[in-house]
Amino acid sequence: MCDLMMMSSSDSNSDSEEEESLSEGEMAQLLEEVEEKKKLIATIRNKPWRMKRRLVDLKEAQEFVDKFEGALGKGKGRKWFAYKVMMKKKWIKFQRDFENFRTACIPWERKIKDVESHFGSSVASYFIFLRWMYGMNLVLFGFTFGLVVIPEVLMGLPYGSIPRKTVPTPDQDTAQDYSVLMDFNGYCKYSVLFYGYYNNQRTIGLLKFRLPLSYLMVGIGTFGYSLMVVIRTMAKNADVGGGDGDEGEFTFAWKMFTSWDYLIGNSETADNKYASITTSFKESIVDEQENQKDENIHLRRFLRVMANFLITCSLGGSGYLIYFVVKRSQEFANRTDLSWYEKNELELIMSLLGLVCPPLFETIAELEDYHPRIALKWQLGRIFALFLGNLYTFLFALFDEVNTKLEQEDSIKNASIWAMKEYYANYTLMLNGTDSPIPPMDPGDVIRGPCWETAVGIEFVKLTVSDIQVSYLTILIGDFARAVIVRFLNYCWCWDLEAGFPSYGEFDISGNVLGLVFNQGMIWMGAFYAPGLVGINVLRLLSSMYYQCWAVMATNVPHERVFKASKSNNFYMGLLLLILFLSLLPVVFTIMTLPPSFDCGPFSGKVKMFDVIMETIDLDLPAFLGTLFSYAANPGLIIPAVLLMVLAIYYLNSVSEAYQHANMELKKKMQMTRDEEKNRRNNTDSTNQVMKDLEDLLPNRSLMPPAPPPQPVKKPEPEAKPTKTRPGTAGKGVNLQRDVTLASPNPNARGPVSRPPGPRGHGPPPGAGPGRGRGRGRGAPPR
Amino acid sequence: MGSRASTLLREEEIEEIKKETGFSHSQITRLYSRFTSLDKGENGTLSREDFQRIPELAINPLGDRIINAFFPEAEDQVNFRGFMRTLAHFRPIEDNDKSKNVAVSEPLNSRTNKLLFAFRLYDLDRDDKISRDELLQVLRMMVGVNISDEQLGSIADRTIQEADTNGDNSISFSEFIKVLEKVDVEQKMSIRFLH
């Protein structure tokens, strides 16, 4: 039977391992097996078994023969089997080559490896995150570009044909000015970059491409795809995370055995690594001492409360500042004589806040006196709150602007409709009822509504662009100029600039990651209103990768404390997920509640944006689907569906809680056995009643020499539990101790007890195991 | 570069190595090209100096011991077979390995064997125990003179105290395994073939 298992396991292996053909010995064994099975089939009638069992065995034997006779080159399955095997091998080889090709195509692998070997795996994790974001943005860009921009460009009406696609006549003189373009007005505003350019024709071109529907679907699909990708990555990372558990257990042992980062190849980094190991040991020593120290709890609490209060004040202050600036910018919108500062005030202030507040928070946080890891988490949380608050204040201000525009729109809409009616009325009057063509007016002259979606899109694009500029400038000045100054001014300066005050910058991992996450949030929010934004972001990420890689290698030094990256990875993904949800809300809200502009964009003329879907269902899909959807949209159906989902969530939640509970129980059990071991070592009295009874079963202790160390060997019970290692290695360990116990006198007393550990020490596998292991380490004889 | 007929890898050799170590055909060829690139003397074997040319090994505090692990006792050259035999410990563990019967002899790259390899780096005198002195040696290599000797002594004592379960004031292999129970040894001690 175990041969059967081995055969079937080797068969499954040949599925995954390539080129494993059966060896001679295996063939012979297989032959034997097949013969045996055939004999069984022939004689099954004569066996004194029940019918049921006979049938089962017969079926099994027949299956076995069918499966493996082909492998032997006999029987009717032979050719088919050989063919199958060959195809399988070819397929596996093809898969492997494809995987190789795919891996070779991964961009920037060498660059990231360079960074990793200089700066450790934590800095490299930022670049890996950046690369992942680039991939995701590339896919989003593909969707947007391929399904929205290209069709409009290729099959839609060209620039200048209809009002929404033309720069208004009064603006046409300045439309090409650099300053106007930088503000994304002029030709930029009336281009595929923004929502307002797209026409609301239901189908365009020969292919009858439904552009408005595609626009809406791409907008929703962007969020759906991002959500799926983020959750998939989180789930993948979650496997590695989970088992922190009792970190307090082996701190020093782990530091001793696992603290070296074997990927470091540069001597400067190695020196830093030495220093960081030293620091980490010192830190642990200090930690130990601190745990035993008595703290002035009240002072500490007071300081922490004060620090939190200060930080909340500054967060509130920054929120108010943003609101104030946004209000001011609304006033500015009506004036035209603005200086450069006044035009970009909002974006500048937001970027500056992002620059100034984090160091401020760090300084205030020193009052709190937390463990550095906890302090880092607080810092990240505070910066996150800062950015979030700023973002939402910005959004509310934007919303105010949108409402203003909507009001404006009403009056203009009525005016233009009135004008059109007048024109048609005059036309029919003049020419007595013939069909009137489109008014022969230059599209540039038509009255325009204030297209609020384009305005929103412009705001997001401006914000993104200024963010890019600020971050690049920061790197240039904060890192590069600083490095140049430190290096060259060092020759003629009083104190050592390199070791002392400015020195070279360290790479700020958390700041950069948060910046990336928030940037992505803005892209998600703005992509619906400015399809070109995703393209801009792709370019930004691409250039950022090269730029930051260069900056890190040329101007930064490795961290003082090189810390491991793996734990925080899901934390960043979690932030990204949160931002995704938060940026989903405004977009969905506007799609559902706000009416689209009447004269620009793919949804113009409709009452609500999602009317496109209704229209498509009514006109394009067969009738029964329409009725199906109308039934599905019935609240009577949706509410039970929602209830079902809630119940499913509740069920899964309780199942996972049960698993966690079982987990905790197992851990406790393990901890208990470990404690038992320690107790036994420290005092010979067992604390457990069971153990006590076991001890009583032992032969008279007075006969034994007073040698405590051999004792643990005698108890077979506890040995069974902690031995998770394979018999081979445990055998070796036990072997050693058995030698020690055999060395002590009085073998009689050990008679009944020493046997249980014995066989474990001499079981069949360990014979091969330790021997080969030992041989390997000392150089096996060359074969 | 030029083909050296005497040191080219033959199919039978690849098969043997595959059987012995479990690497696949392409992995063996890749490792062979790495071997030849390290072998500056072009005589089909590697010496200790060849290994020390790898920067990551040169700056590693345990670098010399790792290099020693490649060389069989009292020899100064290692050929490709010996090279592969040591590297077999670092073969990545695949999922279907776990389903193999325990009756089949343990592959070289099992978790236990990987840990054994690491254990031997610390246990210099091969008595299957890491003693306090051996720990002190390692500590001194990792930390240098930045921490005082008595603090190093207490770190070593504390480490033993954390790991030792049978009270012999040294770390045996089973205790070593228990210490590293939660460390993802399978992933960390595996060559990352780009697949």
Side-chain angles (χ1 to χ4, degrees):
Chain A
M1 242 342 141
C2 73
D3 284 358
L4 190 77
M5 278 197 289
M6 205 161 77
M7 286 304 129
S8 44
S9 72
S10 77
D11 187 53
S12 63
N13 271 346
S14 68
D15 288 347
S16 46
E17 273 179 34
E18 61 291 358
E19 293 151 12
E20 189 190 69
S21 51
L22 302 170
S23 67
E24 281 296 316
E26 283 174 332
M27 286 282 262
Q29 220 167 2
L30 193 56
L31 190 65
E32 225 179 276
E33 284 288 315
V34 172
E35 286 303 318
E36 207 183 295
K37 290 288 176 221
K38 276 192 172 156
K39 215 169 65 170
L40 181 69
I41 296 177
T43 58
I44 200 141
R45 277 180 200 228
N46 308 334
K47 300 266 178 189
W49 295 335
R50 303 193 77 107
M51 195 58 186
K52 199 171 173 189
R53 182 175 166 187
R54 270 192 254 175
L55 284 174
V56 166
D57 277 351
L58 181 65
K59 192 155 170 238
E60 237 183 273
Q62 273 174 340
E63 273 175 10
F64 184 82
V65 168
D66 283 336
K67 208 166 160 193
F68 290 105
E69 215 173 12
L72 295 172
K74 297 206 289 262
K76 42 185 167 26
R78 163 178 50 140
K79 284 210 180 97
W80 172 246
F81 186 82
Y83 176 71
K84 246 189 355 185
V85 165
M86 189 187 73
M87 286 314 287
K88 211 172 283 179
K89 287 190 193 171
K90 281 217 164 89
W91 174 244
I92 290 170
K93 182 165 191 323
F94 170 72
Q95 269 185 329
R96 193 174 22 132
D97 287 337
F98 183 66
E99 282 301 316
N100 284 348
F101 170 70
R102 219 170 65 152
T103 319
C105 280
I106 294 181
W108 305 312
E109 188 69 14
R110 155 118 334 153
K111 228 184 254 296
I112 295 183
K113 278 279 180 292
D114 274 345
V115 171
E116 187 168 24
S117 80
H118 276 80
F119 291 88
S121 46
S122 48
V123 172
S125 77
Y126 165 74
F127 287 99
I128 293 177
F129 187 54
L130 181 61
R131 184 174 63 185
W132 181 87
M133 290 278 246
Y134 173 72
M136 184 178 76
N137 273 292
L138 207 57
V139 171
L140 292 178
F141 174 66
F143 278 151
T144 319
F145 207 65
L147 292 175
V148 170
V149 177
I150 295 278
E152 180 70 22
V153 163
L154 289 182
M155 299 190 281
L157 300 168
Y159 171 82
S161 50
I162 49 177
R164 69 185 63 179
K165 298 199 181 201
T166 330
V167 178
T169 329
D171 296 333
Q172 265 176 9
D173 305 329
T174 55
Q176 249 182 334
D177 286 354
Y178 184 71
S179 60
V180 167
L181 283 179
M182 275 299 111
D183 261 348
F184 296 100
N185 269 320
Y187 283 127
C188 262
K189 185 169 170 186
Y190 298 94
S191 70
V192 275
L193 278 181
F194 294 106
Y195 174 99
Y197 185 82
Y198 295 88
N199 199 4
N200 70 334
Q201 255 180 310
R202 210 175 79 82
T203 63
I204 51 177
L206 287 169
L207 296 172
K208 301 245 181 284
F209 189 79
R210 289 158 179 63
L211 188 71
L213 181 68
S214 142
Y215 194 98
L216 189 65
M217 287 290 119
V218 163
I220 296 179
T222 304
F223 287 107
Y225 174 74
S226 314
L227 194 61
M228 192 186 75
V229 150
V230 169
I231 291 193
R232 197 169 64 174
T233 314
M234 271 183 91
K236 230 191 287 181
N237 287 344
D239 293 332
V240 187
D244 286 329
D246 303 326
E247 275 228 329
E249 281 212 17
F250 291 114
T251 21
F252 282 91
W254 278 7
K255 280 197 173 36
M256 169 93 76
F257 292 125
T258 61
S259 53
W260 182 254
D261 186 355
Y262 285 83
L263 292 170
I264 296 180
N266 182 30
S267 50
E268 203 181 284
T269 318
D271 291 335
N272 276 328
K273 185 64 177 171
Y274 281 117
S276 96
I277 293 179
T278 314
T279 320
S280 108
F281 271 118
K282 285 193 182 159
E283 230 180 80
S284 293
I285 295 177
V286 165
D287 265 348
E288 281 295 309
Q289 288 171 345
E290 237 184 74
N291 278 341
Q292 286 142 9
K293 209 166 38 165
D294 219 11
E295 271 297 330
N296 188 352
I297 292 225
H298 300 291
L299 180 66
R300 195 181 255 203
R301 273 205 202 130
F302 170 70
L303 284 175
R304 282 189 190 162
V305 165
M306 198 169 80
N308 274 319
F309 174 70
L310 283 173
I311 290 185
T312 323
C313 281
S314 47
L315 275 175
S318 79
Y320 179 68
L321 182 63
I322 297 243
Y323 185 70
F324 176 70
V325 168
V326 164
K327 275 271 177 282
R328 253 168 54 118
S329 76
Q330 279 175 340
E331 291 160 27
F332 288 158
N334 299 330
R335 294 165 34 198
T336 46
D337 56 337
L338 298 171
S339 63
W340 174 85
Y341 168 74
E342 278 162 345
K343 264 193 275 198
N344 293 323
E345 193 181 26
L346 179 64
E347 289 82 18
L348 272 177
I349 295 282
M350 277 184 71
S351 310
L352 272 176
L353 271 179
L355 274 178
V356 162
C357 282
L360 181 69
F361 290 163
E362 259 184 67
T363 346
I364 297 182
E366 282 183 23
L367 277 177
E368 291 182 330
D369 194 24
Y370 275 127
H371 191 286
R373 210 179 308 137
I374 303 180
L376 180 68
K377 286 229 155 94
W378 274 98
Q379 175 76 352
L380 278 174
R382 283 175 187 142
I383 302 180
F384 187 73
L386 174 76
F387 283 4
L388 213 54
N390 291 349
L391 198 64
Y392 258 80
T393 318
F394 170 74
L395 278 178
F396 279 130
L398 210 59
F399 201 66
D400 277 345
E401 198 180 320
V402 167
N403 277 332
T404 327
K405 286 220 153 65
L406 278 174
E407 286 163 23
Q408 267 183 340
E409 184 178 309
D410 268 339
S411 58
I412 297 187
K413 180 158 120 178
N414 290 336
S416 65
I417 290 180
W418 189 255
M420 284 290 279
K421 287 210 159 86
E422 291 273 312
Y423 170 78
Y424 285 135
N426 283 340
Y427 200 87
T428 44
L429 210 62
M430 294 300 205
L431 296 180
N432 279 341
T434 45
D435 274 334
S436 46
I438 300 174
M441 193 162 47
D442 179 25
D445 290 329
V446 172
I447 318 169
R448 301 300 177 74
C451 195
W452 64 268
E453 294 99 341
T454 306
V456 168
I458 291 182
E459 284 299 312
F460 274 111
V461 172
K462 280 207 291 197
L463 195 60
T464 307
V465 168
S466 84
D467 201 33
I468 297 175
Q469 287 170 336
V470 168
S471 68
Y472 281 18
L473 274 177
T474 316
I475 295 181
L476 202 59
I477 297 180
D479 280 340
F480 183 63
R482 172 174 167 183
V484 164
I485 288 175
V486 167
R487 170 67 80 94
F488 292 115
L489 222 54
N490 208 11
Y491 295 127
C492 51
W493 202 258
C494 355
W495 70 85
D496 188 359
L497 286 171
E498 280 184 5
F501 161 57
S503 78
Y504 298 106
E506 286 181 355
F507 187 76
D508 178 19
I509 301 177
S510 46
N512 271 304
V513 169
L514 278 181
L516 205 58
V517 163
F518 274 97
N519 172 58
Q520 189 60 36
M522 288 199 282
I523 301 295
W524 275 322
M525 272 196 266
F528 188 73
Y529 301 107
L533 188 58
V534 188
I536 295 178
N537 198 36
V538 164
L539 284 175
R540 170 226 168 101
L541 287 176
L542 188 63
S543 58
S544 186
M545 177 58 118
Y546 287 106
Y547 185 53
Q548 280 190 304
C549 271
W550 165 80
V552 149
M553 300 290 277
T555 67
N556 284 118
V557 287
H559 282 230
E560 287 288 317
R561 291 203 229 124
V562 189
F563 61 90
K564 281 191 289 249
S566 49
K567 241 172 47 165
S568 340
N569 220 359
N570 245 4
F571 183 60
Y572 294 144
M573 282 292 161
L575 285 181
L576 196 64
L577 193 64
L578 190 61
I579 290 281
L580 176 57
F581 274 120
L582 291 175
S583 49
L584 182 61
L585 290 174
V587 178
V588 169
F589 177 73
T590 48
I591 291 181
M592 290 295 165
T593 52
L594 292 182
S597 299
F598 75 98
D599 68 340
C600 69
F603 308 114
S604 59
K606 305 216 174 17
V607 178
K608 287 269 160 40
M609 290 191 193
F610 58 83
D611 282 345
V612 169
I613 302 183
M614 308 299 193
E615 207 186 347
T616 314
I617 295 179
D618 286 334
L619 297 177
D620 289 330
L621 297 176
F624 74 91
L625 274 181
T627 38
L628 198 69
F629 276 128
S630 66
Y631 284 146
N634 190 355
L637 207 62
I638 291 188
I639 292 184
V642 168
L643 264 175
L644 189 66
M645 282 195 272
V646 167
L647 285 176
I649 292 177
Y650 177 67
Y651 168 72
L652 287 173
N653 205 21
S654 43
V655 163
S656 97
E657 260 177 31
Y659 281 142
Q660 272 180 345
H661 188 67
N663 225 1
M664 288 308 293
E665 290 292 314
L666 283 172
K667 273 198 196 150
K668 263 192 254 175
K669 222 183 270 184
M670 273 171 32
Q671 186 65 28
M672 216 172 62
T673 29
R674 240 181 257 136
D675 286 343
E676 273 300 315
E677 297 273 319
K678 284 207 173 129
N679 279 338
R680 189 160 308 104
R681 182 164 44 87
N682 294 335
N683 53 337
T684 48
D685 296 317
S686 293
T687 49
N688 199 344
Q689 187 54 35
V690 176
M691 301 304 170
K692 264 196 158 66
D693 292 341
L694 210 57
E695 273 184 57
D696 289 340
L697 284 178
L698 287 177
N700 200 346
R701 276 226 216 141
S702 58
L703 290 177
M704 279 175 3
Q711 276 212 10
V713 186
K714 279 202 220 54
K715 312 236 179 337
E717 274 277 335
E719 283 289 2
K721 275 186 233 139
T723 309
K724 279 212 215 83
T725 61
R726 302 235 170 68
T729 45
K732 203 149 63 102
V734 175
N735 245 340
L736 238 41
Q737 297 188 354
R738 232 178 137 265
D739 289 341
V740 172
T741 58
L742 282 179
S744 357
N746 243 337
N748 297 342
R750 261 167 220 64
V753 187
S754 63
R755 220 172 281 124
R760 205 175 286 123
H762 287 309
R772 202 188 300 152
R774 223 177 281 129
R776 185 91 39 210
R778 302 206 184 130
R783 299 217 316 203
Chain B
M1 287 257 305
S3 54
R4 290 154 272 146
S6 58
T7 51
L8 271 182
L9 207 53
R10 295 185 306 275
E11 274 301 317
E12 316 90 71
E13 272 200 68
I14 297 185
E15 286 300 317
E16 281 177 39
I17 295 179
K18 193 199 298 202
K19 214 165 294 176
E20 197 184 334
T21 62
F23 282 115
S24 74
H25 195 115
S26 66
Q27 289 171 339
I28 295 177
T29 351
R30 204 169 308 157
L31 288 171
Y32 185 68
S33 64
R34 181 72 172 131
F35 180 84
T36 42
S37 74
L38 285 174
D39 181 14
K40 299 284 188 247
E42 294 196 358
N43 52 358
T45 61
L46 293 178
S47 68
R48 289 195 164 80
E49 288 76 34
D50 288 321
F51 279 105
Q52 267 154 1
R53 245 177 252 122
I54 305 173
E56 282 87 350
L57 273 183
I59 56 175
N60 194 326
L62 295 177
D64 286 329
R65 299 189 190 188
I66 297 176
I67 295 175
N68 266 336
F70 278 92
F71 292 88
E73 242 172 56
E75 282 181 32
D76 281 332
Q77 302 283 332
V78 61
N79 63 1
F80 185 59
R81 296 292 291 275
F83 182 73
M84 289 303 282
R85 222 166 276 134
T86 314
L87 280 186
H89 289 285
F90 291 90
R91 180 163 73 89
I93 295 185
E94 292 135 30
D95 278 332
N96 59 356
D97 278 358
K98 292 187 187 144
S99 62
K100 273 207 174 98
N101 246 342
V102 187
V104 178
S105 56
E106 212 175 289
L108 272 174
N109 69 333
S110 69
R111 185 193 167 91
T112 316
N113 278 326
K114 286 189 203 275
L115 284 173
L116 192 61
F117 185 84
F119 187 77
R120 295 238 172 79
L121 292 179
Y122 296 102
D123 181 20
L124 289 178
D125 53 2
R126 296 291 166 83
D127 63 350
D128 295 313
K129 279 195 292 216
I130 303 179
S131 67
R132 184 178 184 270
D133 287 324
E134 284 162 351
L135 280 181
L136 271 178
Q137 274 186 333
V138 172
L139 271 175
R140 212 163 275 124
M141 284 198 299
M142 284 208 309
V143 152
V145 291
N146 292 331
I147 300 188
S148 69
D149 274 343
E150 71 175 77
Q151 276 188 325
L152 282 182
S154 359
I155 294 176
D157 285 330
R158 177 60 193 269
T159 310
I160 293 185
Q161 190 196 35
E162 278 175 354
D164 197 12
T165 49
N166 61 357
D168 58 355
N169 263 349
S170 60
I171 305 182
S172 70
F173 184 54
S174 56
E175 290 157 357
F176 186 73
I177 292 181
K178 178 161 280 126
V179 168
L180 295 181
E181 207 170 42
K182 296 216 180 100
V183 175
D184 187 7
V185 171
E186 289 92 335
Q187 205 242 342
K188 290 199 167 129
M189 276 183 75
S190 296
I191 306 177
R192 277 180 255 172
F193 288 106
L194 297 176
H195 51 53

